Amino acid sequence: MTDFTELYERLKQEQMSLNAELQRLKAEEKSADEQREGSPFGKREEGATEAFEWEKRLALERRLNDALAAVGHALEKYEAGTYGICDLCSRPIEPARLEALPQATLCLECKARQAKDARNRPAK
Ligand SMILES: [Zn+2]
């Protein structure tokens, strides 16, 4: 039985820093909103930049949330005693893969297959 304690610690760390980043992003969003409300003569020429910033922030937020979900899922698996086991084929995930990506919950083979399926599936 492989010892995953170190990876577990890394996942916990990752979860904390992702949460902190998300909080920071939300605080930024809030202060940006307040700034907008504070200037009733809204500068139109800044609209485009703002929309761009907003979209960028939204994309980052989505990425952070996805990463948090992945980390959370891996931590759940750890608690359940199934950490390091592929979600799809129930075979052990390659140790090198876990080392590089502690939140991985699919083995390389399944991950590759999933990526291929996603490409073949028509966009939502
Ligand atoms: Zn697999």
Side-chain angles (χ1 to χ4, degrees):
M1 169 87 196
T2 326
D3 183 19
F4 291 127
T5 319
E6 199 202 310
L7 293 178
Y8 178 75
E9 289 304 321
R10 274 170 61 190
L11 281 170
K12 278 287 191 193
Q13 287 289 331
E14 179 75 4
Q15 192 180 39
M16 273 199 308
S17 70
L18 284 169
N19 268 320
E21 182 76 4
L22 208 59
Q23 289 306 315
R24 197 181 58 79
L25 208 69
K26 287 208 192 301
E28 251 178 40
E29 228 162 273
K30 205 160 158 278
S31 81
D33 278 351
E34 277 160 13
Q35 267 170 31
R36 251 196 306 281
E37 280 162 22
S39 56
F41 305 105
K43 301 172 197 135
R44 265 169 206 280
E45 68 271 22
E46 278 177 12
T49 321
E50 243 171 49
F52 176 69
E53 286 295 317
W54 184 74
E55 261 183 35
K56 221 168 60 178
R57 207 147 44 204
L58 210 67
L60 179 62
E61 198 177 314
R62 202 173 300 138
R63 215 161 46 228
L64 285 172
N65 274 319
D66 283 356
L68 258 180
V71 169
H73 181 53
L75 285 170
E76 267 170 30
K77 281 172 73 90
Y78 187 91
E79 303 294 343
T82 56
Y83 183 76
I85 304 293
C86 175
D87 269 355
L88 289 179
C89 67
S90 302
R91 280 183 301 200
I93 299 172
E94 298 78 1
R97 174 164 165 72
L98 285 174
E99 192 62 43
L101 197 73
Q103 61 268 50
T105 51
L106 291 180
C107 70
L108 274 176
E109 214 175 295
C110 289
K111 182 73 197 173
R113 197 177 308 134
Q114 199 189 49
K116 212 172 128 221
D117 284 356
R119 265 202 303 278
N120 291 336
R121 214 175 296 141
K124 271 184 237 171

